[in-house]
Amino acid sequence: MAQSHEMSRKPPGLRLFGGSSSLRSYQTLVLVLTFFAYTCFHMTRKITSIVKSALDPQTKVGFSHWGRLHTHNSLNIGWMPFNTVDGSALLGEIDVAFLAVYSIGMFFAGHIGDRMDLRIFLTIGMLGTAIFTTLFGAGYWLNVHSFYYFLVIQMASGLFQSIGWPSVVAVVGNWFGKSKRGLIMGIWNAHTSIGNIAGSLLAAFLLKFGWGWSFALPSLIMVFVGLVVFMFLPVSPEAMEMDIDSGECNCEKDDVKEPLLEPGQEVKHKAVGFLEAWRIPGVAPFALCLFFSKLVAYTFLYWLPFYISHTRIGNEYISDAMAGSLSTIFDVGGVLGGVLAGHISDRLNARAVTAASFMYCAIPALFLYRTYGSVSIVWNICLMFVTGMFVNGPYALITTAVSADLGTHSSLNGNSRALATVTAIIDGTGSVGAAIGPLLTGYISSKSWSAVFTMLMAAALLAGLLLTQLVCAELKVKVPSSVTKNAEAQHMYSDEV
């Protein structure tokens, strides 16, 4: 009976075609499938930011280096009800509705994810997201102009989107050990930026055919990837009847293949409670840090194309499609930032120091992009790249390597079923900030984009400060060890003399 249950957990595609006995092959398959799965989540999430300018094209914002902005009205085109005076505020309300449901759903998704087959759970999230993304675009063909239609569709989409992150992090965490986790997950986390880039380019290209197509085609791609995930994603070594601690599968044990839990720990399979997960050391500070980090990152995610198309660059306005394509540079910088943050944190063995340093560096980067980004396209691209690198670096690090670290913390005493819950708590808290940032931007941007950037710089500062206690703790560990090494070196030198 137990054996049939384990067989039922095997992906049908691998049962049908037979799976490789190599652990490395399964790890590669997991990385590839979860990468493309979450790429699709971000691809569909990015669409609304590209379509914003087509829905609300009325106001073009002139440039003033840090003072009041000037406006001038163009033709009254766009899509009701978003092409009105309060169109930006309505678009901001849709963003916050999506992200509010997303953040709330994240807490429940992590709780459920630790208690059911993650392959099926992830597939449900992908198919549900694709359906409601398509329904949003269907408003174009059905000639829907009800604000509440788009609001409800986005809320439903946010609920299904919340399934994605806890699921993919938990699956990857099941297969990969602690060695080079920051670097591996930093590279793997490029799916966030790749999804944003793919969503931006695809949606911008399809705008000329009608904004509804910008939602429809990416949704079809997500359905296809979701079905592939359902057929082939191996959730864990246990589901594939493998023991990564043994010598089976012709795999030599090394640091990369070590399980997430410490050797010798007795593995428990009882899911961790919500409050118990909050009490894990480090969860609360990193969760609150991510609140402000995602506030900054998601304000760019949802409003950067709009900001670019409504701001003079080199004394000219650029098209909505061009603005959408240009905004991908932010995510290209984000890819490098995620990899660098992961690699640096591995080398230093200091997650908090790395995350805080990146957040502090994001402050001058934001100031420079606002102040000099409109000088020319070249300046805009360069400064946007640097800003994306510092903003997305800590966001990528906290949501991947840090979540995996804390989800297998020693205080859990070997409990292997906390990954999805801890990931959901950290990213769910961050998503509350991600909801607030775009909402405030919808209101503030109508008066001054300079005030928006001031808000973002303040958020970046708070994100860094919230890690102060953890930073001090990491530095205390580092300083004595370096002093000891220097003392030992001097002692050896004196002995030789």
Side-chain angles (χ1 to χ4, degrees):
M1 192 72 179
Q3 185 175 357
S4 64
H5 173 69
E6 287 297 330
M7 286 296 291
S8 68
R9 294 181 62 195
K10 286 187 177 181
L14 297 182
R15 289 207 309 266
L16 181 63
F17 298 108
S20 168
S21 61
S22 169
L23 176 62
R24 187 73 73 180
S25 297
Y26 282 127
Q27 288 177 321
T28 302
L29 181 62
V30 165
L31 284 179
V32 171
L33 289 181
T34 54
F35 183 94
F36 281 108
Y38 209 69
T39 294
C40 288
F41 277 105
H42 260 266
M43 177 179 66
T44 53
R45 197 179 304 174
K46 181 66 176 178
I47 297 169
T48 52
S49 70
I50 303 300
V51 177
K52 270 190 175 90
S53 295
L55 299 176
D56 175 28
Q58 280 197 107
T59 306
K60 294 291 185 181
V61 181
F63 178 76
S64 174
H65 272 284
W66 200 261
R68 290 180 61 84
L69 301 180
H70 309 286
T71 63
H72 102 104
N73 294 325
S74 58
L75 295 176
N76 186 23
I77 56 178
W79 192 266
M80 284 290 292
F82 304 111
N83 60 347
T84 56
V85 176
D86 59 347
S88 295
L90 292 178
L91 289 169
E93 288 173 9
I94 282 184
D95 290 342
V96 77
F98 170 90
L99 290 166
V101 174
Y102 175 81
S103 58
I104 295 171
M106 183 81 70
F107 295 112
F108 291 99
H111 188 73
I112 297 170
D114 280 331
R115 290 162 173 80
M116 70 174 290
D117 190 325
L118 288 169
R119 175 177 56 85
I120 297 174
F121 195 45
L122 181 58
T123 303
I124 292 172
M126 296 185 72
L127 297 182
T129 297
I131 290 171
F132 284 99
T133 301
T134 302
L135 288 175
F136 193 102
Y140 172 77
W141 293 291
L142 299 175
N143 201 30
V144 177
H145 296 281
S146 169
F147 169 73
Y148 293 102
Y149 170 83
F150 297 107
L151 183 71
V152 171
I153 291 297
Q154 278 294 83
M155 291 173 69
S157 179
L159 182 63
F160 283 99
Q161 283 261 2
S162 68
I163 294 174
W165 189 242
S167 300
V168 295
V169 171
V171 171
V172 172
N174 287 338
W175 284 96
F176 286 88
K178 294 185 175 182
S179 177
K180 299 182 180 179
R181 183 187 292 168
L183 177 60
I184 291 173
M185 287 192 157
I187 296 172
W188 173 75
N189 193 67
H191 51 50
T192 298
S193 297
I194 297 298
N196 291 341
I197 293 169
S200 298
L201 296 178
L202 192 56
F205 171 75
L206 294 170
L207 270 179
K208 59 186 177 184
F209 302 107
W211 61 264
W213 288 105
S214 296
F215 290 90
L217 190 56
S219 298
L220 290 176
I221 296 173
M222 191 171 196
V223 168
F224 172 76
V225 176
L227 294 176
V228 173
V229 166
F230 176 77
M231 293 294 294
F232 296 101
L233 179 65
V235 171
S236 66
E238 291 77 16
M240 301 308 298
E241 299 179 337
M242 298 176 64
D243 182 5
I244 58 178
D245 283 326
S246 71
E248 295 179 7
C249 311
N250 297 320
C251 299
E252 295 180 5
K253 184 178 178 183
D254 59 24
D255 287 339
V256 176
K257 298 170 188 175
E258 284 182 6
L260 287 172
L261 299 175
E262 295 291 345
Q265 282 186 308
E266 180 185 353
V267 178
K268 305 173 185 177
H269 297 285
K270 181 182 177 182
V272 170
F274 182 79
L275 294 178
E276 183 182 355
W278 265 108
R279 289 194 292 267
I280 297 172
V283 166
F286 275 114
L288 294 174
C289 172
L290 191 63
F291 175 95
F292 291 102
S293 178
K294 285 193 77 169
L295 186 153
V296 179
Y298 269 64
T299 298
F300 275 89
L301 174 70
Y302 281 99
W303 286 99
L304 182 57
F306 187 91
Y307 169 73
I308 294 173
S309 68
H310 288 67
T311 303
R312 290 183 185 273
I313 301 178
N315 292 321
E316 294 181 359
Y317 292 111
I318 63 177
S319 68
D320 296 338
M322 179 63 180
S325 300
L326 186 62
S327 68
T328 61
I329 301 300
F330 180 84
D331 294 296
V332 175
V335 173
L336 178 61
V339 174
L340 278 178
H343 178 64
I344 292 171
S345 70
D346 279 342
R347 293 294 299 271
L348 299 179
N349 192 24
R351 309 288 197 210
V353 170
T354 305
S357 299
F358 269 70
M359 290 312 307
Y360 291 138
C361 290
I363 298 172
L366 287 163
F367 178 83
L368 292 173
Y369 179 66
R370 172 58 187 155
T371 307
Y372 299 107
S374 64
V375 173
S376 67
I377 290 289
V378 174
W379 273 94
N380 193 286
I381 290 173
C382 293
L383 292 173
M384 192 192 310
F385 179 88
V386 173
T387 304
M389 182 176 68
F390 287 122
V391 168
N392 282 346
Y395 163 40
L397 179 65
I398 294 171
T399 54
T400 54
V402 170
S403 294
D405 288 347
L406 297 176
T408 55
H409 195 271
S410 57
S411 65
L412 293 169
N413 297 321
N415 198 321
S416 66
R417 301 192 64 187
L419 273 173
T421 300
V422 169
T423 300
I425 285 175
I426 292 176
D427 203 48
T429 304
S431 295
V432 176
I436 293 174
L439 175 66
L440 293 177
T441 301
Y443 290 101
I444 299 173
S445 63
S446 61
K447 299 178 181 179
S448 170
W449 275 104
S450 297
V452 172
F453 276 81
T454 301
M455 174 188 74
L456 297 180
M457 289 188 290
L461 176 62
L462 288 171
L465 291 176
L466 282 164
L467 295 180
T468 300
Q469 186 175 1
L470 295 178
V471 168
C472 292
E474 289 180 349
L475 291 177
K476 284 180 181 177
V477 173
K478 297 294 178 185
V479 172
S481 61
S482 61
V483 171
T484 302
K485 289 180 180 178
N486 290 334
E488 290 177 351
Q490 291 178 357
H491 180 68
M492 290 177 62
Y493 175 77
S494 61
D495 285 347
E496 291 176 358
V497 173

